[in-house]
Amino acid sequence: STMGNIFASYVIKGDLKDKIQLDTPNDWANVGKEQLDGVNYKVYTGTGVNSTIKLLIEDDIDITPDI
């Protein structure tokens, strides 16, 4: 359970022309979407045993690979 873990959150903002490449896709899990200040973000969390990193990537950004 991640309930007790403190996550370091990184918010990545951009628009339709922006791209992000996850160079180690096996280390990330797509855990859904969140809204922050009226903006929709795709949410990824690290999958390592001790990973406490959470990425919020603005919905318009093209993310590869699509995980």
Side-chain angles (χ1 to χ4, degrees), residues 21-26 28 64-65:
Q21 182 159 2
L22 298 172
D23 59 350
T24 56
N26 292 338
W28 298 101
T64 56

Side-chain angles (χ1 to χ4, degrees), residues 46-62:
T47 58
V49 174
N50 296 315
S51 182
T52 55
I53 297 174
K54 180 172 159 181
L55 294 177
L56 283 78
I57 301 175
E58 196 164 336
D59 219 8
D60 287 342
I61 297 175
D62 184 27

Side-chain angles (χ1 to χ4, degrees), residues 21-51:
Q21 182 159 2
L22 298 172
D23 59 350
T24 56
N26 292 338
D27 293 335
W28 298 101
N30 182 337
V31 295
K33 298 191 180 211
E34 281 185 26
Q35 195 174 76
L36 191 65
D37 297 328
V39 179
N40 291 319
Y41 293 90
K42 296 180 185 109
V43 182
Y44 295 84
T45 56
T47 58
V49 174
N50 296 315
S51 182

